[in-house]
Amino acid sequence: MERPDLSSVSPEVIAYIEALEARLAELQAMETTSSHQETLSEPDEAPTPINLITVSAGGYAKRTPRHLYSRQRRGGMGVFDLEAPAGDAPAFLAMAEAGDSLLLLTNQGRIFRVAVGEIPEREVRSKGEPLLARLPMRSDERLAVVLPDRSAESAFLVVVTERGQVRRIARQYMGASLQPGVVLLDPREGGAPAAACWSSGADDLFLVTRAGLAIRFAERLAPMRGCLGMRVDPGDRVVSVVPVKPEGGVFLLSEDGKGTIRLMSGFSANKSPGAGGKVAMKANAVVGATAVDEESDIFIISRLGKIIRFRAEEIPAKEGAVQGVHCMALRADECVALVSTAAPAI
């Protein structure tokens, strides 16, 4: 908009307009400086064989060496990452080496194994390739969970459904002999798979729902045949399961880019599974949760494909339920997935 002719306007009004224009210019300069400071990156970590794997809801994927993602300060804008077909937003993040495998769980309870080395290695901002083209997927089947194969160093794969059913599968059934498309669980019993993690068999399990409710109980209390791990309201659903220890912490992320680290010292364990949840984070929509420690880096990706990496130590750890602090600046966007560099709690 161009400045109109103000020759017929009184000097007092012109002075007022000029003062507003000066203030506007000052605020714009401050915003530019702040934005620049927010996106300042720390030096990359030392070269590592670990890849960050980005997967869209429709199964387009790429992998990028983790050290190519620079750290930013918490609250930054991030950088563009996965390019997928229009309408196919990023949905999953995972970390694994090129020689590892990924396990893909579908909404119909079937599981597939894919070699990480078969996923194309790309730069940070680049197009993904179809991940599911060679898998015998059904027409109405979609991805529900993506996680690396950690059967070599874990005891169990823990799978939780949207309605809170928990099932533990011994690691020997998840090895290289796993048959493609085998049914891991029946979605008619508790809904589709919603989250999965690897555990030692001696951990506590921390289940989190989209409404920010959670429950913690000893993993050994869940029978191998499965049980109700958490009562979930009809309008809610489970979004994450994390193996935890009493001295550990869990990072929770909301859709609007806020996050908090909830210390397990302030979240008591239930004596048995199957109860209702307690408030873990004050949020309208929790995206997920991941175990963290003082050395962890956190990666968050948004629906528009922007990704940010920052240190977990920038998030205040709390024993109580809070709304969290800003972790990622969003403009007409929302967070969809997260992962951390913390070692599995095994």
Side-chain angles (χ1 to χ4, degrees), residues 97-138:
E97 296 188 19
D100 294 339
S101 296
L102 287 183
L103 297 180
L104 312 178
L105 280 74
T106 75
N107 62 325
Q108 297 185 9
R110 300 203 300 159
I111 188 167
F112 298 90
R113 173 187 295 275
V114 174
V116 173
E118 296 179 359
I119 301 172
E121 182 177 329
R122 298 285 189 269
E123 297 179 352
V124 172
R125 182 176 184 175
S126 55
K127 293 183 178 180
E129 298 292 336
L131 179 64
L132 310 177
R134 288 174 289 177
L135 302 180
M137 299 280 287
R138 298 165 181 166

Side-chain angles (χ1 to χ4, degrees), residues 21-94:
E21 290 176 338
R23 180 56 178 165
L24 178 60
E26 180 183 347
L27 291 174
Q28 289 174 334
M30 290 173 60
E31 182 179 2
T32 300
T33 301
S34 176
S35 176
H36 174 69
Q37 291 175 344
E38 283 182 345
T39 57
L40 286 176
S41 300
E42 295 183 12
D44 296 335
E45 65 175 318
T48 172
I50 300 175
N51 294 270
L52 181 69
I53 303 160
T54 315
V55 186
S56 73
Y60 275 73
K62 76 173 183 69
R63 62 183 174 95
T64 304
R66 192 179 72 189
H67 59 270
L68 297 183
Y69 292 88
S70 298
R71 295 185 183 96
Q72 295 186 11
R73 294 194 179 115
R74 172 184 63 80
M77 294 289 294
V79 296
F80 281 104
D81 189 48
L82 178 69
E83 294 182 20
D88 187 13
F92 308 98
L93 288 176

Side-chain angles (χ1 to χ4, degrees), residues 170-249:
R171 67 178 183 178
Q172 59 264 31
Y173 298 108
M174 296 291 106
S177 60
L178 180 69
Q179 293 298 313
V182 66
V183 176
L184 207 61
L185 53 84
D186 189 346
R188 293 173 296 183
E189 302 176 1
C197 69
W198 292 98
S199 71
S200 68
D203 299 317
D204 285 356
L205 297 179
F206 187 72
L207 280 62
V208 185
T209 75
R210 187 167 175 80
L213 303 179
I215 189 173
R216 173 186 163 199
F217 58 86
E219 176 192 349
R220 57 180 174 76
L221 299 176
M224 297 289 290
R225 65 181 181 276
C227 70
L228 180 65
M230 179 180 183
R231 290 202 314 268
V232 181
D233 293 337
D236 199 4
R237 59 183 173 86
V238 172
V239 294
S240 280
V241 56
V242 183
V244 297
K245 298 187 183 299
E247 67 277 10

